[in-house]
Amino acid sequence: MALREVLQFPDPRLRRVSEPIDTITDELRELARDMCDVMYDEPGIGLAATQVGVAVRMFVIDTEWSEEGMERNASVIINPEILHKDGKIIWEEGCLSVPDYTAEVERAAQVTIRFTDLDGKEITEEAEGLRAICLQHEYDHLDGILFIDRISRLKRSLYVKKRKKQQSSEQE
Ligand code: ZN
């Protein structure tokens, strides 16, 4: 089966604000499965539905599977709300939708997040470190925000220029 395509900056669909999910349908379960397949294939540690062109408030994350000896254990996060943020952490971030680029981003070091899982159960989780960073990064996607929106204007404009150049050479 072909994997779903990941949208790439500057695709305008990445800028959509995603809609809340009312009902967990079979279609949604299939989307979550497909998103995990894409995340592990790329490979990545998180993927939002927005990135595969579906504007619903759902993302998948698994920040530990790439470490040696760790099993794949994806969390499916539906309709998340960040209830609390604390501390500061700076991390070199990348994104499957922002090709060939990483940059340091400052985020909260700890977050408390409430969400629904794929079984419809409401869960409150406290996260820190890489998982907290990833939760905030994926949450941003649901509001059409990319990590390059959280870096300096100068760095962003250099990247945008580089992307434009890349795209025009791809078209030649
Ligand atoms: Zn991303």
Side-chain angles (χ1 to χ4, degrees), residues 9 46 71 97 166:
F9 176 82
E71 298 277 323
S97 295
Q166 267 179 348

Side-chain angles (χ1 to χ4, degrees), residues 59 61 77 111 113 127 131-139:
F59 60 78
I61 76 166
I77 311 273
V111 294
I113 186 168
R131 191 168 168 96
I133 293 164
C134 191
L135 286 167
Q136 292 168 84
H137 176 119
E138 300 309 328
Y139 182 90

Side-chain angles (χ1 to χ4, degrees), residues 46-48 51 93-98 137-138 141 145-147:
L47 186 75
Q51 292 178 274
E93 293 189 23
C95 178
L96 300 177
S97 295
V98 181
H137 176 119
E138 300 309 328
H141 275 299
I145 299 167
L146 299 170
F147 82 92

Side-chain angles (χ1 to χ4, degrees), residues 140-168:
D140 272 354
H141 275 299
L142 306 183
D143 288 332
I145 299 167
L146 299 170
F147 82 92
I148 49 172
D149 302 329
R150 300 199 178 278
I151 63 178
S152 74
R153 193 177 297 183
L154 175 66
K155 280 190 187 165
R156 185 167 57 249
S157 69
L158 289 173
Y159 175 69
V160 171
K161 235 183 249 171
K162 184 176 133 182
R163 260 314 266 167
K164 278 191 185 141
K165 219 183 257 176
Q166 267 179 348
Q167 284 185 311
S168 59

Side-chain angles (χ1 to χ4, degrees), residues 3 35-47 60-75 96 130-131 134 138:
L3 289 168
M35 284 164 57
C36 289
D37 289 346
V38 171
M39 173 174 72
Y40 292 124
D41 181 73
E42 282 281 344
I45 57 171
L47 186 75
V60 296
I61 76 166
D62 187 351
T63 48
E64 288 176 339
W65 72 277
S66 56
E67 285 171 30
E68 215 175 321
M70 295 297 286
E71 298 277 323
R72 291 180 176 186
N73 182 24
S75 309
L96 300 177
L130 182 57
R131 191 168 168 96
C134 191
E138 300 309 328

Side-chain angles (χ1 to χ4, degrees), residues 104-122:
E104 286 187 341
V105 180
E106 184 184 295
R107 299 203 187 258
Q110 287 114 27
V111 294
T112 306
I113 186 168
R114 183 167 62 203
F115 62 94
T116 303
D117 72 4
L118 214 43
D119 299 319
K121 205 167 92 183
E122 192 180 281

